[in-house]
Amino acid sequence: GSRTYLLDQSGDKYYMFQLLNKEFTFDVDVSNLPCGLNGALYFVEMPEDGGLSFPGNEAGPEYGTGYCDAQCPHDIKFINGEANMEDWEPSPTDPNAGVGHYGACCQEMDIWEANSEASAYTLHPCDINGQKRCEGTECGDNKSGDRYNGICDKDGCDFHSFRLGNKQFFGPGSNFEVDSTKPMTVVTQFITSDGTDNGELVEVRRIYVQNGKVIQNSFTDVNGIDSADSITADMCTQSKTAFNDIDDFSKKGGMKVMGESLGRGHVLVMSLWDDHEAHMLWLDSNYPLDRDPSEPGVARGNCPTDSGDPADVENSVPNSNVVFSKIRIGTIGSTYPH
C-alpha cells in the first residue's frame, strides 16, 4: 500500500512529534477493513528534511522521501538520495514493488496496526540513532536467516489483546468490549520515569473511547505474564518467555532505547496495506503456521489461516478503507473526554 506523512506548516519539512510524557489520540473507523488488511498509524524516526541533506535528493518531504522503519525495508526505491536499483529484483506478486540491495532502517513506534478483526500496538527499538541505509547482515533479512542479527528489533514488543488472552475485547459486534464496526477514539500515553518530557520511557498505556464511554485497555491473561494492561519492560520480557519468542527487544535496548528515539522526534505515518510476505496472519490469525495454535502467543485473531493473500484481498474487497481523523497530542489526560 501507499503511505501518507504529516508535514509541518511550511510544507518543506515533516512535522516532528515529541511523544514523551504526552498523550497521542486519534479517531478511527476500521469497519471496512476485513482479514488480511492493515490500516496502520505509526511513528518512525525518519529525517525531518526527508533526506534533502544527501546530494541527489532534490525531492524531500513534499514528495515523501526519507522513509525508513524497523523492518529495514528493501523496497524503498530511493535511499539517501540514490536509486536503490543495485541488485533490484521485482516482486513476483506485486507489480509495483521489488527489493534492492539496500534497506532503510530506523526505530518505529506502531501506535495502531489493525483491521476489524484485530489490533496491536508495538515498540521496535534499533541499535542506531536516526535513519540508516543498511546492507547485508545489518538489515536483518529473513531471506538470509539474519532476522535477529540485524540492527533493528523486527518483532518488537506488542500489546495485542487477543494474543495476550482476551479474545472478547476487540472485534466486530456488540459482544466485544470495543466494537470494530463502529468508530472509536484511541488514546496512547507515553509515561516517563519522572513525569517530565526528558524522563526515561517506562510505560506505554492505551485507552479507548466509544459511544461516549471510556474503555480501559484489556489485561493480559497468560501464564507467566503478570497481569498488565500496558507495555512495560517486565511485560515485554515476560511475554517473550511465555510465547517462546526470541527477546530481540531487550537485546536492542528495550523501553529505554525506544524512549531515547522518541525524544529525538518522530514522523507520523498513515498507511493501508496488504502483506505479500505473511498475509497479515501475524495480526489477525494463527502465526507462525508451523506452530500449534494452542501454544501461547500463536493465536492472534479469528481470521482463517488461508486468508490475507493480496491477490484475493485486492480482488474481493477492492473498496476497503480506513478513516483516521481528529489527530491530537497533549499533556496526559487532556485529549479525550473523561
Side-chain angles (χ1 to χ4, degrees):
S2 44
R3 287 180 285 264
T4 305
Y5 311 100
L6 184 66
L7 304 183
D8 71 4
Q9 283 179 307
S10 74
D12 299 329
K13 293 178 178 170
Y14 292 117
Y15 183 88
M16 302 304 287
F17 280 84
Q18 298 290 336
L19 294 165
L20 291 179
N21 195 35
K22 295 287 190 294
E23 174 177 286
F24 177 86
T25 300
F26 61 96
D27 291 3
V28 65
D29 184 340
V30 297
S31 61
N32 198 24
L33 286 181
C35 295
L37 284 166
N38 185 340
L41 185 151
Y42 59 107
F43 289 99
V44 292
E45 196 188 338
M46 57 192 272
E48 183 177 23
D49 73 349
L52 276 174
S53 57
F54 291 100
N57 184 344
E58 294 178 14
E62 194 182 353
Y63 294 91
T65 62
Y67 181 75
C68 53
D69 66 34
Q71 301 304 317
C72 300
H74 283 266
D75 63 351
I76 307 300
K77 290 171 179 157
F78 291 90
I79 308 175
N80 292 7
E82 294 178 8
N84 189 21
M85 58 201 279
E86 196 179 318
D87 304 329
W88 182 266
E89 287 177 33
S91 163
T93 55
D94 182 350
N96 299 311
V99 292
H101 178 74
Y102 297 103
C105 311
C106 62
Q107 311 211 41
E108 176 178 354
M109 172 68 230
D110 291 326
I111 298 269
W112 184 251
E113 291 193 280
N115 54 35
S116 58
E117 296 290 337
S119 80
Y121 68 100
T122 309
L123 283 62
H124 293 276
C126 303
D127 284 335
I128 47 170
N129 292 1
Q131 176 265 3
K132 178 180 171 68
R133 181 171 76 170
C134 69
E135 59 180 317
T137 304
E138 62 186 3
C139 298
D141 299 335
N142 291 335
K143 201 171 158 186
S144 59
D146 285 317
R147 183 175 181 85
Y148 302 105
N149 300 326
I151 52 181
C152 287
D153 169 22
K154 296 193 169 189
D155 292 357
C157 172
D158 60 297
F159 198 106
H160 185 310
S161 296
F162 192 107
R163 188 176 188 225
L164 287 164
N166 188 332
K167 298 178 178 179
Q168 288 302 124
F169 184 71
F170 179 96
S174 56
N175 50 323
F176 292 92
E177 288 181 64
V178 178
D179 180 357
S180 64
T181 66
K182 299 187 167 82
M184 65 192 78
T185 299
V186 180
V187 182
T188 309
Q189 300 171 332
F190 294 86
I191 312 296
T192 60
S193 52
D194 59 2
T196 73
D197 298 1
N198 302 313
E200 189 177 311
L201 179 68
V202 292
E203 183 181 17
V204 182
R205 297 194 58 75
R206 166 59 50 82
I207 298 162
Y208 297 88
V209 186
Q210 192 170 50
N211 297 330
K213 180 183 162 206
V214 175
I215 304 167
Q216 299 299 330
N217 196 24
S218 64
F219 278 86
T220 56
D221 185 12
V222 176
N223 285 340
I225 305 176
D226 296 337
S227 183
D229 62 348
S230 65
I231 291 182
T232 62
D234 283 349
M235 173 267 173
C236 292
T237 308
Q238 291 171 6
S239 64
K240 293 293 180 189
T241 303
F243 293 160
N244 202 20
D245 289 340
I246 291 170
D247 187 3
D248 208 27
F249 179 76
S250 300
K251 189 177 151 195
K252 301 290 194 289
M255 301 289 291
K256 185 173 190 292
V257 164
M258 189 79 241
E260 289 165 359
S261 171
L262 293 173
R264 292 188 289 269
H266 273 229
V267 174
L268 174 66
V269 189
M270 290 169 282
S271 71
L272 174 56
W273 59 289
D274 54 19
D275 181 358
H276 287 261
E277 195 161 314
H279 295 182
M280 218 68 77
L281 301 177
W282 57 269
L283 177 66
D284 60 22
S285 184
N286 298 325
Y287 191 82
L289 291 172
D290 59 1
R291 284 175 63 180
D292 187 327
S294 66
E295 283 181 48
V298 176
R300 299 140 192 264
N302 290 317
C303 294
T305 52
D306 62 354
S307 67
D309 183 326
D312 296 340
V313 171
E314 290 166 27
N315 192 37
S316 60
V317 286
N319 298 316
S320 302
N321 62 40
V322 61
V323 181
F324 295 115
S325 59
K326 287 186 71 179
I327 294 169
R328 51 226 194 250
I329 186 170
T331 53
I332 304 274
S334 73
T335 67
Y336 69 102
H338 58 97

PDB file of all heavy atoms in Angstrom, residues 58 69 75 81 126 130 169 174 184 196 203 296 306 338:
ATOM      1  N   GLU A  58      16.578  15.933  -4.391  1.00  0.00           N
ATOM      2  CA  GLU A  58      16.016  17.277  -4.540  1.00  0.00           C
ATOM      3  C   GLU A  58      14.506  17.234  -4.350  1.00  0.00           C
ATOM      4  O   GLU A  58      13.807  18.191  -4.667  1.00  0.00           O
ATOM      5  CB  GLU A  58      16.384  17.845  -5.923  1.00  0.00           C
ATOM      6  CG  GLU A  58      17.885  18.071  -6.064  1.00  0.00           C
ATOM      7  CD  GLU A  58      18.273  18.593  -7.440  1.00  0.00           C
ATOM      8  OE1 GLU A  58      17.379  19.023  -8.179  1.00  0.00           O
ATOM      9  OE2 GLU A  58      19.477  18.548  -7.742  1.00  0.00           O
ATOM     10  N   ASP A  69      11.914   2.264   8.415  1.00  0.00           N
ATOM     11  CA  ASP A  69      11.234   1.706   9.576  1.00  0.00           C
ATOM     12  C   ASP A  69      12.059   0.541  10.126  1.00  0.00           C
ATOM     13  O   ASP A  69      13.153   0.257   9.630  1.00  0.00           O
ATOM     14  CB  ASP A  69       9.782   1.319   9.267  1.00  0.00           C
ATOM     15  CG  ASP A  69       9.613   0.162   8.276  1.00  0.00           C
ATOM     16  OD1 ASP A  69      10.451  -0.767   8.266  1.00  0.00           O
ATOM     17  OD2 ASP A  69       8.623   0.194   7.512  1.00  0.00           O
ATOM     18  N   ASP A  75      12.341  -2.369  -0.264  1.00  0.00           N
ATOM     19  CA  ASP A  75      11.521  -1.963  -1.415  1.00  0.00           C
ATOM     20  C   ASP A  75      11.461  -0.450  -1.600  1.00  0.00           C
ATOM     21  O   ASP A  75      10.758   0.046  -2.471  1.00  0.00           O
ATOM     22  CB  ASP A  75      10.104  -2.539  -1.301  1.00  0.00           C
ATOM     23  CG  ASP A  75       9.345  -2.016  -0.081  1.00  0.00           C
ATOM     24  OD1 ASP A  75       9.953  -1.350   0.777  1.00  0.00           O
ATOM     25  OD2 ASP A  75       8.129  -2.292   0.013  1.00  0.00           O
ATOM     26  N   GLY A  81      19.274   9.651  -1.260  1.00  0.00           N
ATOM     27  CA  GLY A  81      19.482  10.396  -2.496  1.00  0.00           C
ATOM     28  C   GLY A  81      19.926   9.565  -3.678  1.00  0.00           C
ATOM     29  O   GLY A  81      20.262  10.104  -4.729  1.00  0.00           O
ATOM     30  N   CYS A 126      15.961   0.037  17.826  1.00  0.00           N
ATOM     31  CA  CYS A 126      17.094  -0.330  16.952  1.00  0.00           C
ATOM     32  C   CYS A 126      18.399   0.136  17.590  1.00  0.00           C
ATOM     33  O   CYS A 126      18.402   1.018  18.445  1.00  0.00           O
ATOM     34  CB  CYS A 126      16.981   0.344  15.579  1.00  0.00           C
ATOM     35  SG  CYS A 126      15.476   0.011  14.660  1.00  0.00           S
ATOM     36  N   GLY A 130      18.504   7.747  14.504  1.00  0.00           N
ATOM     37  CA  GLY A 130      18.081   8.257  13.204  1.00  0.00           C
ATOM     38  C   GLY A 130      17.988   7.153  12.168  1.00  0.00           C
ATOM     39  O   GLY A 130      17.904   5.961  12.490  1.00  0.00           O
ATOM     40  N   PHE A 169     -12.206  -8.761  23.580  1.00  0.00           N
ATOM     41  CA  PHE A 169     -12.006  -7.330  23.834  1.00  0.00           C
ATOM     42  C   PHE A 169     -12.260  -6.480  22.590  1.00  0.00           C
ATOM     43  O   PHE A 169     -12.985  -5.491  22.633  1.00  0.00           O
ATOM     44  CB  PHE A 169     -10.595  -7.066  24.373  1.00  0.00           C
ATOM     45  CG  PHE A 169     -10.387  -5.619  24.745  1.00  0.00           C
ATOM     46  CD1 PHE A 169     -11.014  -5.083  25.857  1.00  0.00           C
ATOM     47  CD2 PHE A 169      -9.573  -4.792  23.976  1.00  0.00           C
ATOM     48  CE1 PHE A 169     -10.853  -3.746  26.199  1.00  0.00           C
ATOM     49  CE2 PHE A 169      -9.408  -3.452  24.303  1.00  0.00           C
ATOM     50  CZ  PHE A 169     -10.045  -2.926  25.426  1.00  0.00           C
ATOM     51  N   SER A 174     -21.416  -6.059  18.989  1.00  0.00           N
ATOM     52  CA  SER A 174     -21.648  -5.516  20.331  1.00  0.00           C
ATOM     53  C   SER A 174     -21.218  -6.476  21.433  1.00  0.00           C
ATOM     54  O   SER A 174     -21.181  -6.111  22.606  1.00  0.00           O
ATOM     55  CB  SER A 174     -23.127  -5.175  20.491  1.00  0.00           C
ATOM     56  OG  SER A 174     -23.904  -6.332  20.218  1.00  0.00           O
ATOM     57  N   MET A 184     -14.166   4.724  16.760  1.00  0.00           N
ATOM     58  CA  MET A 184     -13.648   4.744  18.133  1.00  0.00           C
ATOM     59  C   MET A 184     -12.545   5.789  18.247  1.00  0.00           C
ATOM     60  O   MET A 184     -11.959   6.218  17.253  1.00  0.00           O
ATOM     61  CB  MET A 184     -13.096   3.360  18.510  1.00  0.00           C
ATOM     62  CG  MET A 184     -11.902   2.943  17.693  1.00  0.00           C
ATOM     63  SD  MET A 184     -11.448   1.190  17.871  1.00  0.00           S
ATOM     64  CE  MET A 184     -12.667   0.393  16.827  1.00  0.00           C
ATOM     65  N   THR A 196       8.426  13.877  33.491  1.00  0.00           N
ATOM     66  CA  THR A 196       8.831  15.038  32.692  1.00  0.00           C
ATOM     67  C   THR A 196       9.031  14.613  31.240  1.00  0.00           C
ATOM     68  O   THR A 196       9.113  13.424  30.940  1.00  0.00           O
ATOM     69  CB  THR A 196      10.161  15.654  33.182  1.00  0.00           C
ATOM     70  OG1 THR A 196      11.239  14.764  32.812  1.00  0.00           O
ATOM     71  CG2 THR A 196      10.163  15.870  34.687  1.00  0.00           C
ATOM     72  N   GLU A 203       6.619   3.209  30.334  1.00  0.00           N
ATOM     73  CA  GLU A 203       5.328   2.555  30.101  1.00  0.00           C
ATOM     74  C   GLU A 203       4.624   3.220  28.915  1.00  0.00           C
ATOM     75  O   GLU A 203       4.705   4.434  28.733  1.00  0.00           O
ATOM     76  CB  GLU A 203       4.455   2.699  31.358  1.00  0.00           C
ATOM     77  CG  GLU A 203       3.120   1.998  31.282  1.00  0.00           C
ATOM     78  CD  GLU A 203       2.277   2.188  32.549  1.00  0.00           C
ATOM     79  OE1 GLU A 203       2.578   3.102  33.349  1.00  0.00           O
ATOM     80  OE2 GLU A 203       1.319   1.422  32.724  1.00  0.00           O
ATOM     81  N   PRO A 296       0.793 -20.666  23.661  1.00  0.00           N
ATOM     82  CA  PRO A 296       0.606 -19.254  23.979  1.00  0.00           C
ATOM     83  C   PRO A 296       1.275 -18.348  22.942  1.00  0.00           C
ATOM     84  O   PRO A 296       2.405 -18.599  22.511  1.00  0.00           O
ATOM     85  CB  PRO A 296       1.291 -19.100  25.341  1.00  0.00           C
ATOM     86  CG  PRO A 296       1.302 -20.466  25.931  1.00  0.00           C
ATOM     87  CD  PRO A 296       1.394 -21.409  24.781  1.00  0.00           C
ATOM     88  N   ASP A 306      -5.793 -19.354   5.773  1.00  0.00           N
ATOM     89  CA  ASP A 306      -5.605 -19.204   4.327  1.00  0.00           C
ATOM     90  C   ASP A 306      -6.109 -17.843   3.818  1.00  0.00           C
ATOM     91  O   ASP A 306      -6.218 -17.621   2.613  1.00  0.00           O
ATOM     92  CB  ASP A 306      -6.284 -20.344   3.558  1.00  0.00           C
ATOM     93  CG  ASP A 306      -7.800 -20.369   3.764  1.00  0.00           C
ATOM     94  OD1 ASP A 306      -8.315 -19.573   4.586  1.00  0.00           O
ATOM     95  OD2 ASP A 306      -8.486 -21.182   3.105  1.00  0.00           O
ATOM     96  N   HIS A 338     -13.301  12.611  29.733  1.00  0.00           N
ATOM     97  CA  HIS A 338     -13.388  11.602  30.808  1.00  0.00           C
ATOM     98  C   HIS A 338     -13.688  12.298  32.128  1.00  0.00           C
ATOM     99  O   HIS A 338     -13.629  13.514  32.249  1.00  0.00           O
ATOM    100  CB  HIS A 338     -12.107  10.777  30.912  1.00  0.00           C
ATOM    101  CG  HIS A 338     -10.867  11.574  31.150  1.00  0.00           C
ATOM    102  ND1 HIS A 338     -10.340  11.756  32.393  1.00  0.00           N
ATOM    103  CD2 HIS A 338     -10.062  12.254  30.297  1.00  0.00           C
ATOM    104  CE1 HIS A 338      -9.229  12.508  32.308  1.00  0.00           C
ATOM    105  NE2 HIS A 338      -9.054  12.834  31.048  1.00  0.00           N
TER     106      HIS A 338
END
